[in-house]
Amino acid sequence: MSDVLLQSACILLEFKITMEIAFVRPVAPFNRYIQNVPLNYIHLAAHLRQRGHKATILDMVVEESTDDVDQYLRSNNVGLVGIGCMTCELPDALAEARRLKENHPGIRIVFGGAHPSADPEECLRSGVVDYVVVGEGELPLAALLDALENGRHPQGILGLWSIENGAVRGNSSAAIPNVEELPMPAYDQLDLNKYFQLDSPWHFPKSKKAVQYVSSRGCPYHCSYCHTIHGKKYRGMSAAKVVDEIERLVIAHGVEELMIVDDIFNFDLERAKDICRGIVDRGLRVHLQFPNGVRGDRFDEELVALMKRAGTHYMAVAIETTSEKYQNLIRKHLKLEKALQTIQWARKYDIEVCGFFMIGFPGETLQEIEQTLDFAVSAPLDTIFISLVSPFKGTVLRTDMMNGRFGDIDASGVAALEQLFPTVHNEAVPIETLQKLQRSAYWRFYLKPRPMLNLGRRMTNWSNVKKVSRAIRRRLAESRISSLN
């Protein structure tokens, strides 16, 4: 009898080992911003580790080949693979999932991220995806692994979609974790030295030893062009927790620069100030940049001064449009005068500022577009980035278009939305005209003395020369790759 029990225990243990999850990141040529730490995977891996599960990260961007991935999966009897993707990464994610299914019969694939959250059914009907996590992944992934390890059907897990016998089983969005209780992301599971060697796509880091970092999730604003994966409730970690994690990155991992990529770092001004004070008070020597865009009209001069003292050398301000009509239509409601004041404070404290702009909203006239571009060219900015509007799946903008908020949409408009890089069909200002206006604005801006001198000062090493050359090519020749989601 004891032999039978022992044998059963061994079988159960073997089954649990096969339920280790491996996060695989394929190379995605359309996404330059993949040349960085896989931030989503290290957040998920840390939480799963805290819950007693084993999670491995296999990153094909820095080292693993398909052969390396296959060997690891076979050697460790891995039964579940997670792949996250944005829309521009979807073809590569599906191709890797298909390859894994062919090479590892019986393996299960779970997708997550911006695109799968926006259209889980599309992913599930591909024939190579078993589950999709809609929303934040920590809680549903842990519940999925719990169920699989114990031989239970994972039905009813909030945020987990699945497909069985051709029928898609939907669910609500994932439960939202308390960010204060989440463990520090698993940077320790990565060889950061390999990421330090990557040609970072972000704005000219002061140090090669740079990684991304998130201190909050969610944004209470309702800009219709943005993703909603983190919901519309702001959840910021306490300043003490943030500074503790930054200190650990600096001291234990040798990080010298952080790209803080919160959706809205400065929503809670006092928290933002306390984070900056904490960095200064602890004597942490670290450079900071905010390349994901901060809310331009939620600043005061004290915050800008503290950001500079804490090591900030660059931030992006998302303005998008100077048209009050379109500020309302896209639900951004930015106070342009306050954003301009923030830009002027940043210049006072020697923080470089990039302005984000978007052109080609549904029904936008040539005059309204030129108004935005004239502001972009004339504002006291150091760099600008002009995107062509892309109504990605899952955005309120896309829903608004289909529901007539911007007027009727015809067959040509629907067809434009169904591309990998969706566009807005506007006969009055076609895509070709938008691209010409975009290129012209770049020339007008970067031929001004200040931006030209700024770029000239950057040409101090081959890495920066390549970065500038790549930026010129993307802005002047590849405008269809204009925004990512």
Side-chain angles (χ1 to χ4, degrees):
M1 182 67 176
S2 59
D3 291 342
V4 173
L5 290 174
L6 180 61
Q7 184 178 13
S8 299
C10 291
I11 292 172
L12 180 60
L13 180 61
E14 182 181 0
F15 180 72
K16 286 191 173 185
I17 290 175
T18 63
M19 286 302 108
E20 170 191 349
I21 185 171
F23 294 111
V24 174
R25 184 163 71 151
V27 175
F30 275 130
N31 186 5
R32 267 285 306 150
Y33 291 90
I34 204 171
Q35 299 287 321
N36 270 293
V37 165
L39 203 55
N40 52 343
Y41 292 170
I42 60 175
H43 277 266
L44 297 172
H47 178 72
L48 293 176
R49 180 169 61 187
Q50 185 184 62
R51 289 281 299 269
H53 300 295
K54 185 177 181 183
T56 302
I57 299 170
L58 304 175
D59 192 352
M60 298 167 75
V61 171
V62 292
E63 51 183 5
E64 276 84 9
S65 64
T66 53
D67 289 342
D68 294 327
V69 170
D70 289 341
Q71 182 177 354
Y72 183 89
L73 298 181
R74 290 194 183 101
S75 299
N76 293 275
N77 296 319
V78 175
L80 183 66
V81 167
I83 300 176
C85 67
M86 298 190 295
T87 299
C88 62
E89 299 167 310
L90 180 65
D92 307 285
L94 289 173
E96 178 60 13
R98 186 168 293 108
R99 190 193 71 79
L100 290 172
K101 284 285 189 180
E102 291 172 354
N103 290 358
H104 304 272
I107 201 165
R108 295 179 172 102
I109 307 288
V110 55
F111 268 27
H115 189 93
S117 291
D119 194 347
E121 187 165 348
E122 176 189 16
C123 298
L124 291 168
R125 293 202 180 283
S126 67
V128 294
V129 178
D130 301 286
Y131 309 105
V132 169
V133 170
V134 174
E136 297 179 21
E138 284 91 348
L139 301 182
L141 273 182
L144 173 62
L145 282 168
D146 285 341
L148 295 177
E149 287 181 352
N150 290 286
R152 299 195 313 268
H153 194 285
Q155 190 172 349
I157 296 173
L158 288 179
L160 187 72
W161 288 51
S162 60
I163 186 166
E164 294 182 20
N165 301 319
V168 171
R169 294 180 178 271
N171 208 326
S172 59
S173 294
I176 296 175
N178 182 340
V179 294
E180 194 69 12
E181 297 175 355
L182 291 175
M184 181 171 177
Y187 291 94
D188 59 295
Q189 285 193 220
L190 305 175
D191 182 350
L192 288 182
N193 286 317
K194 293 179 179 178
Y195 292 89
F196 295 159
Q197 300 307 311
L198 293 177
D199 183 12
S200 171
W202 303 107
H203 177 84
F204 302 106
K206 296 279 189 181
S207 169
K208 291 285 287 183
K209 297 181 178 181
V211 297
Q212 316 97 283
Y213 178 78
V214 171
S215 75
S216 67
R217 296 186 187 182
C219 175
Y221 290 94
H222 292 268
C223 307
S224 64
Y225 52 82
C226 196
H227 73 87
T228 57
I229 192 170
H230 296 302
K232 288 301 174 183
K233 181 180 179 181
Y234 172 81
R235 294 167 289 138
M237 293 190 299
S238 66
K241 180 178 171 69
V242 172
V243 178
D244 284 345
E245 292 190 352
I246 291 175
E247 184 173 44
R248 187 171 173 186
L249 283 170
V250 171
I251 294 175
H253 297 287
V255 171
E256 296 177 355
E257 178 152 353
L258 294 176
M259 285 84 78
I260 298 179
V261 291
D262 295 23
D263 286 335
I264 181 166
F265 172 80
N266 61 316
F267 177 72
D268 183 340
L269 263 65
E270 292 309 310
R271 186 195 82 112
K273 291 175 185 178
D274 286 343
I275 291 170
C276 294
R277 291 188 188 104
I279 292 171
V280 173
D281 291 346
R282 297 194 195 184
L284 300 177
R285 298 178 63 85
V286 62
H287 303 290
L288 304 176
Q289 59 169 287
F290 296 82
N292 204 40
V294 290
R295 179 82 187 189
D297 56 3
R298 285 196 66 84
F299 273 92
D300 58 24
E301 186 172 357
E302 182 186 26
L303 176 56
V304 178
L306 283 168
M307 288 171 65
K308 179 63 179 180
R309 287 184 61 202
T312 302
H313 66 92
Y314 171 85
M315 66 181 185
V317 175
I319 294 168
E320 315 309 3
T321 176
T322 59
S323 164
E324 185 175 352
K325 168 188 169 185
Y326 276 91
Q327 282 285 340
N328 292 330
L329 280 171
I330 65 175
R331 298 180 169 87
K332 187 173 181 72
H333 306 297
L334 179 78
K335 296 177 177 64
L336 191 58
E337 302 79 11
K338 288 189 175 182
L340 190 56
Q341 175 65 77
T342 297
I343 294 168
Q344 291 166 343
W345 282 329
R347 173 169 282 193
K348 175 181 176 180
Y349 290 98
D350 195 28
I351 297 174
E352 289 188 65
V353 183
C354 175
F356 287 169
F357 299 92
M358 302 175 79
I359 59 174
F361 288 105
E364 193 174 19
T365 66
L366 182 60
Q367 182 180 5
E368 288 165 330
I369 293 168
E370 288 177 337
Q371 173 187 306
T372 293
L373 295 179
D374 287 344
F375 177 90
V377 170
S378 62
L381 295 161
D382 298 285
T383 56
I384 60 173
F385 187 82
I386 305 166
S387 294
L388 306 187
V389 174
S390 293
F392 286 103
K393 290 183 177 180
T395 60
V396 174
L397 175 59
R398 189 186 185 98
T399 303
D400 282 346
M401 290 178 64
M402 299 299 290
N403 290 343
R405 182 176 174 87
F406 298 90
D408 293 336
I409 183 169
D410 58 16
S412 297
V414 173
L417 290 176
E418 293 305 319
Q419 306 170 95
L420 178 62
F421 292 93
T423 58
V424 174
H425 177 71
N426 184 352
E427 291 183 359
V429 190
I431 290 295
E432 294 76 17
T433 301
L434 287 174
Q435 290 171 330
K436 288 179 182 178
L437 291 167
Q438 182 189 44
R439 287 193 292 267
S440 173
Y442 278 136
W443 281 117
R444 289 161 56 202
F445 180 84
Y446 285 103
L447 288 178
K448 295 194 305 180
R450 181 182 173 89
M452 187 177 290
L453 286 171
N454 281 342
L455 285 179
R457 288 203 307 266
R458 302 296 182 188
M459 304 296 223
T460 56
N461 57 63
W462 180 239
S463 176
N464 283 358
V465 170
K466 289 193 296 183
K467 186 185 294 288
V468 171
S469 300
R470 185 170 60 245
I472 292 172
R473 184 174 66 252
R474 289 183 69 231
R475 283 159 172 75
L476 299 184
E478 299 176 11
S479 56
R480 74 186 183 91
I481 310 175
S482 54
S483 59
L484 302 174
N485 200 353

